[in-house]
Amino acid sequence: MKILLINGSPKSSISSSELLINALSEQLGSSNEYVTIRAMGLSKQEFLDGFTGVDAAVVVFPLYVDGIPSHLLRLLYESKDELKHIAPNVVIYAIANNGFYEGEQNTLALNMMRHFCNSADVQWGQGLGIGAGGMLSAAPIGAGPLKNIGAALKSFSHNINNKISKDNLFAQPNFPKLLYKLCVHLVWRQSARNNGLKRKDLYKRL
């Protein structure tokens, strides 16, 4: 198959979305042909060109205010009327990751992707919601605290390779939620100190 992998992160440096794309590519195997594009800065035509001749597309993005990042949402909205003509048989999948612990936090964003497919009159495949996205660089995906996420990607990739449509999957690291929350607080406080703020400044109301 020819599979389009869309990096929907606005980051120019290594992002959680990029880590997920790399891990997914390994799971999908070497027998497929892959095209990878970054949505940030693309025109509508460049975005549509990426779909030429593809059998499946996977949109990978971070959660922004319970939804799809605005630059990616714009491309989806602008291309929905033409996508069917470019890739009539494409099946679209999506992976959303967020900084909250629970993968289910991505439900609304994945529903938005499903509604986009309905509007564009193309087949929706499946969504995968991943929690605690900040931990994706802590270990190889599929090992250690990211074993659960690796298992979810394996099931997800099987459905992509076979162009199967199924209910959404959700996963988070096999790591205690309380410890994750403590780690996140430490990161935020360190970031505040690096920017000349004190801990009490984090609780100020504007």
Side-chain angles (χ1 to χ4, degrees):
M1 289 204 306
K2 184 176 181 180
I3 300 176
L4 174 63
L5 303 172
I6 302 171
N7 185 340
S9 173
K11 291 182 179 179
S12 57
S13 57
I14 295 177
S15 62
S16 295
S17 297
E18 183 175 343
L19 294 174
L20 287 167
I21 285 174
N22 293 340
L24 179 65
S25 298
E26 292 182 9
Q27 292 279 7
L28 288 169
S30 58
S31 60
N32 297 310
E33 176 187 353
Y34 299 102
V35 177
T36 304
I37 60 175
R38 289 189 69 250
M40 191 67 181
L42 285 187
S43 67
K44 180 188 79 170
Q45 191 57 53
E46 289 171 329
F47 185 70
L48 284 169
D49 287 345
F51 282 87
T52 303
V54 304
D55 301 289
V58 188
V59 187
V60 187
F61 60 91
L63 189 71
Y64 272 44
V65 198
D66 275 346
I68 299 170
S70 61
H71 69 286
L72 176 59
L73 186 63
R74 174 183 59 81
L75 287 172
L76 294 171
Y77 179 77
E78 291 178 350
S79 64
K80 66 182 178 65
D81 293 331
E82 299 173 49
L83 183 59
K84 180 74 172 179
H85 305 291
I86 301 293
N89 299 313
V90 69
V91 182
I92 294 182
Y93 300 81
I95 302 177
N97 79 90
N98 70 87
F100 298 102
Y101 183 79
E102 296 81 9
E104 287 82 357
Q105 188 72 34
N106 298 288
T107 298
L108 293 178
L110 295 176
N111 285 345
M112 291 171 70
M113 286 299 307
R114 178 170 54 83
H115 285 303
F116 160 73
C117 290
N118 291 339
S119 179
D121 193 25
V122 296
Q123 184 179 341
W124 167 244
Q126 187 179 39
L128 172 58
I130 293 177
M135 283 192 66
L136 292 175
S137 59
I141 294 177
L146 303 182
K147 185 176 180 180
N148 289 350
I149 292 173
L153 278 175
K154 183 177 181 179
S155 177
F156 188 65
S157 64
H158 169 80
N159 294 334
I160 296 170
N161 273 329
N162 293 280
K163 298 183 73 171
I164 296 172
S165 294
K166 281 199 171 182
D167 292 338
N168 293 338
L169 290 169
F170 298 99
Q172 50 269 336
N174 41 301
F175 188 81
K177 181 177 179 179
L178 178 59
L179 289 181
Y180 174 74
K181 186 176 180 180
L182 290 173
C183 291
V184 171
H185 284 182
L186 288 173
V187 170
W188 275 105
R189 289 166 188 164
Q190 183 60 53
S191 179
R193 285 194 292 271
N194 292 343
N195 287 277
L197 299 173
K198 296 180 180 179
R199 179 175 174 176
K200 64 180 181 181
D201 294 326
L202 297 175
Y203 300 92
K204 286 183 177 178
R205 296 191 177 212
L206 300 176

